[in-house]
Amino acid sequence: GKTTLAAEIAKRIGAPHVELDALHWGPNWTPFDVEVFRANTEAALQGEAWTVDGNYSVVRDIIWPQADTVVWLRYSLVVIYWQLIWRTLRQVWRKEVLWNGNRVEWHNAFSRDSLLFEAIPSNRKHRGRYPLLFEEYSHLRVVILNSRKEMRRWLQETFPEG
């Protein structure tokens, strides 16, 4: 979802793609200290144009004031959960190396700390909180996409492949 879209937009506009998970997670799934995470985020946004994917409130005050557009992939919980399960199984099966050498493994893929358990409360929280944040950051162009079909159409209309 969001990483793939952000990477594609970055490619089409010729700008860096900043993946917040890569700035947040250190080796062995240890999060970087908040000050380090914030400093790394500020450093990553030094260019004139960039795309960011991720949803960390601790760096929102760094990113959103500099952004001109926020794209919210407001997919149904069923779609989100299906993507999350499929991605997790693929990462485990292929032993994909993620940020700073981390891998999702069977023992942590379905643990209480996994995204699979966080997805439901986090989805509910975002659906309530984001509209308020959009009012607070009123300079932003807000794009809400409710399906992959809407996302693909918006991407092609907004950033046509040349």
Side-chain angles (χ1 to χ4, degrees):
K2 64 185 181 297
T3 301
T4 302
L5 177 59
E8 184 61 27
I9 293 170
K11 182 178 94 175
R12 292 184 186 197
I13 67 173
H17 168 218
V18 178
E19 194 172 358
L20 291 181
D21 282 333
L23 301 178
H24 180 278
W25 291 109
N28 300 312
W29 293 107
T30 304
F32 286 112
D33 184 71
V34 171
E35 289 79 23
V36 172
F37 180 36
R38 288 178 61 81
N40 289 343
T41 300
E42 286 178 346
L45 304 183
Q46 291 304 306
E48 268 190 50
W50 35 260
T51 65
V52 172
D53 81 78
N55 185 31
Y56 290 89
S57 60
V58 71
V59 292
R60 183 178 299 128
D61 65 315
I62 297 170
I63 300 166
W64 285 27
Q66 296 182 62
D68 59 23
T69 305
V70 168
V71 178
W72 180 13
L73 300 179
R74 191 176 63 185
Y75 297 169
S76 73
L77 191 54
V78 171
V79 170
I80 291 168
Y81 225 80
W82 172 249
Q83 285 181 233
L84 189 54
I85 289 170
W86 178 247
R87 182 188 73 196
T88 301
L89 291 173
R90 186 192 71 233
Q91 289 170 340
V92 170
W93 184 259
R94 292 181 181 173
K95 299 181 181 190
E96 291 179 21
V97 178
L98 302 173
W99 322 278
N100 298 302
N102 293 309
R103 288 191 171 120
V104 178
E105 299 182 17
W106 289 112
H107 73 274
N108 63 6
F110 302 99
S111 73
R112 277 271 184 223
D113 295 329
S114 78
L115 287 175
L116 294 171
F117 285 96
E118 179 61 28
I120 294 171
S122 135
N123 181 271
R124 188 175 304 120
K125 180 178 78 175
H126 297 322
R127 285 181 179 262
R129 181 83 176 112
Y130 277 4
L132 301 172
L133 286 168
F134 297 150
E135 287 178 20
E136 183 180 335
Y137 292 91
S138 60
H139 74 283
L140 291 171
R141 173 177 175 236
V142 176
V143 178
I144 300 172
L145 304 170
N146 294 299
S147 69
R148 287 190 208 122
K149 183 178 178 179
E150 280 184 19
M151 183 273 295
R152 285 190 295 270
R153 183 176 46 238
W154 174 82
L155 179 64
Q156 189 56 38
E157 289 171 359
T158 309
F159 306 101
E161 290 184 277

